[in-house]
Amino acid sequence: MNIIVTGGAGFIGSNFVFHMLEKHPDYRIICLDKLTYAGNLSTLKSVMDNPNFRFVKLDICDREGVYKLFEEEHPDMVVNFAAESHVDRSIKDPSVFLQTNIIGTSVLMDACREYGIKRYHQVSTDEVYGDLPLDRPDLFFTETTPIHTSSPYSSSKAGADLLVMAYHRTFGLPVTISRCSNNYGPYHFPEKLIPLMIVNCLHDKPLPVYGEGLNVRDWLYVEDHCRAIDLIIHNGTVGEVYNVGGHNEMKNIDIVKLICHELGKPESLITYVQDRKGHDMRYAIDPTKIHNELGWLPETKFADGIKKTISWYLENREWWEEIISGDYQTYYERMYGQS
Ligand code: NAD
Ligand code: DAU
């Protein structure tokens, strides 16, 4: 089996590459990544010499380059993680989100149509469903919840999902879509909540909590997400959407306090800052379908996953120190001021 994994130098994509090389040692994994600010080749150094692995630096919007890669590799499957993924950046500048997340997805699917494919899998997000109110804990996102987006990021992901379903219906492309809740774990870029708070704690820097910190996210350890995608591409039904989430809802402020506690840092580092524009209040996934149809359940409890994650950041300082020493500084100052 030859699988093209796009965005494999990013957070979830790299964890998926490691998962697939370990679980399917007879598969060939071709990682296609543009290496934007969010993609790091150092993340993949442990697999670079694996004969079943190939890295190709390429933009998914580069039609000629993508078609050439399909001619060379004859992939059986494509799993598309490549995306601009940060909501705050999409609020500052939506255009690259539309380009990569929508146009890039269409280029990949056109290549699949041109050269044939057993499965095109789109890695999507629970953010396409919008948000849920805090005072209705009985409500969850199911696969039939209407698309109702809030940010340029989620709108671009929803646009891609609609295109994927259209390519299935119109051209018969064998597609699946997964919509997952917030992931955490190793190699998470330090602009996102959990790694940002860990890194700032370690530098005794202010911990910028948006609004009152009452927004709720449904956290899933990244390896559990990777297992879900592995199951969907092998056993999922073509044309179907699968929600992936762990019934692990937490308020942002509680996460930040937990990280302070684990690292022995004072809560006085917490600084309430201006809220995110259009900030989604609560995400909560109902994973009944993937559980009933594919037998998937999350395996890592948050209490264990967050400890493992913090240990990883403590043991892999060179990975994130290199990242935050470059362009990231400019982004950080633009986003949070000099804090
Ligand atoms: P990430 O930002 O860490 O990684 C994205 C990767 O895509 C990077 O390696 C980047 O270089 C690459 N990339 C960006 N534009 C590209 C282009 N034009 N061509 C080729 N490569 C390009 O993102 P992530 O958090 O790992 O998310 C991966 C996917 O999962 C995204 O599609 C995201 O929408 C989705 N998702 C993320 C989460 C989460 O909690 N992080 C949850 C649900 C879904
Ligand atoms: O739900 C899945 C989505 O989860 C993915 O589709 C996105 O790619 C991924 O980035 C993530 O989006 P969020 O916006 O939920 O993640 P983020 O880590 O940016 O923020 C989590 C919460 O923490 C959110 O309510 C905003 C808040 N926050 C975030 C940052 C970066 C803060 O309070 N302070 C911060 O500095």
Side-chain angles (χ1 to χ4, degrees):
M1 186 83 80
N2 277 2
I3 304 187
I4 291 185
V5 176
T6 70
F11 165 45
I12 310 175
S14 61
N15 279 283
F16 185 73
V17 165
F18 304 146
H19 168 95
M20 293 301 281
L21 287 171
E22 193 188 321
K23 292 285 178 286
H24 307 281
D26 50 332
Y27 285 13
R28 178 171 162 76
I29 306 294
I30 304 108
C31 169
L32 178 174
D33 199 297
K34 184 183 176 182
L35 297 181
T36 67
Y37 79 93
N40 288 286
L41 258 194
S42 67
T43 302
L44 294 169
K45 70 172 183 263
S46 65
V47 295
M48 277 299 187
D49 293 334
N50 186 323
N52 289 339
F53 178 75
R54 177 183 173 197
F55 177 81
V56 181
K57 184 174 185 308
L58 190 63
D59 185 336
I60 56 167
C61 302
D62 174 356
R63 187 173 292 272
E64 210 179 302
V66 168
Y67 281 30
K68 186 167 165 281
L69 185 64
F70 271 66
E71 272 170 25
E72 283 168 17
E73 293 290 351
H74 307 288
D76 300 290
M77 294 190 187
V78 172
V79 182
N80 181 24
F81 291 91
E84 289 293 334
S85 68
H86 193 33
V87 173
D88 292 327
R89 288 184 190 251
S90 82
I91 295 166
K92 295 254 184 250
D93 180 9
S95 59
V96 68
F97 284 74
L98 309 185
Q99 184 65 22
T100 287
N101 299 1
I102 302 177
I103 305 295
T105 297
S106 75
V107 169
L108 288 172
M109 292 193 297
D110 284 341
C112 292
R113 288 175 57 213
E114 181 77 19
Y115 296 98
I117 199 89
K118 293 197 181 93
R119 180 69 61 89
Y120 173 86
H121 182 76
Q122 178 73 2
V123 181
S124 185
T125 168
D126 59 359
E127 295 200 17
V128 301
Y129 299 123
D131 64 350
L132 296 164
L134 287 184
D135 61 356
R136 289 295 306 274
D138 56 313
L139 296 181
F140 296 91
F141 298 137
T142 72
E143 289 79 0
T144 55
T145 300
I147 301 278
H148 183 80
T149 57
S150 312
S151 70
Y153 162 70
S154 55
S155 305
S156 68
K157 293 294 290 185
D161 282 14
L162 295 175
L163 259 186
V164 172
M165 295 317 278
Y167 271 58
H168 173 59
R169 178 163 172 160
T170 307
F171 305 119
L173 197 71
V175 305
T176 38
I177 297 178
S178 51
R179 293 184 179 144
C180 190
S181 59
N182 288 61
N183 285 213
Y184 68 103
Y187 300 107
H188 202 179
F189 195 87
E191 68 187 350
K192 308 283 170 58
L193 181 77
I194 288 183
L196 185 138
M197 297 300 162
I198 296 173
V199 164
N200 280 17
C201 263
L202 291 174
H203 286 134
D204 296 304
K205 281 178 72 170
L207 308 175
V209 171
Y210 299 163
E212 296 178 79
L214 300 179
N215 306 65
V216 168
R217 297 292 182 266
D218 179 359
W219 293 94
L220 184 73
Y221 194 64
V222 63
E223 172 61 17
D224 282 325
H225 185 189
C226 295
R227 273 195 307 107
I229 295 173
D230 187 355
L231 276 173
I232 295 168
I233 61 177
H234 288 99
N235 304 329
T237 305
V238 163
E240 290 293 316
V241 173
Y242 293 90
N243 281 357
V244 184
H247 279 308
N248 180 52
E249 292 178 52
M250 292 186 71
K251 287 193 199 99
N252 294 341
I253 189 64
D254 293 338
I255 301 248
V256 177
K257 285 183 177 169
L258 180 67
I259 292 171
C260 288
H261 177 77
E262 289 290 332
L263 286 169
K265 299 291 179 178
E267 289 181 9
S268 56
L269 285 176
I270 294 171
T271 312
Y272 292 94
V273 299
Q274 195 184 11
D275 209 351
R276 175 183 277 173
K277 289 191 176 79
H279 200 171
D280 281 337
M281 215 54 227
R282 169 177 169 245
Y283 301 147
I285 282 279
D286 175 355
T288 305
K289 179 174 173 179
I290 188 167
H291 175 60
N292 287 349
E293 285 188 20
L294 305 179
W296 178 88
L297 273 178
E299 285 176 0
T300 303
K301 291 195 173 61
F302 189 77
D304 301 329
I306 193 72
K307 282 195 170 68
K308 275 206 274 189
T309 303
I310 292 173
S311 300
W312 188 88
Y313 280 84
L314 286 169
E315 286 156 17
N316 291 275
R317 285 189 86 112
E318 71 292 351
W319 181 83
W320 56 264
E321 273 173 351
E322 195 183 313
I323 286 169
I324 64 170
S325 68
D327 286 351
Y328 179 74
Q329 280 308 325
T330 320
Y331 163 77
Y332 196 88
E333 272 150 35
R334 200 156 59 105
M335 196 55 214
Y336 301 100
Q338 299 298 325
S339 53

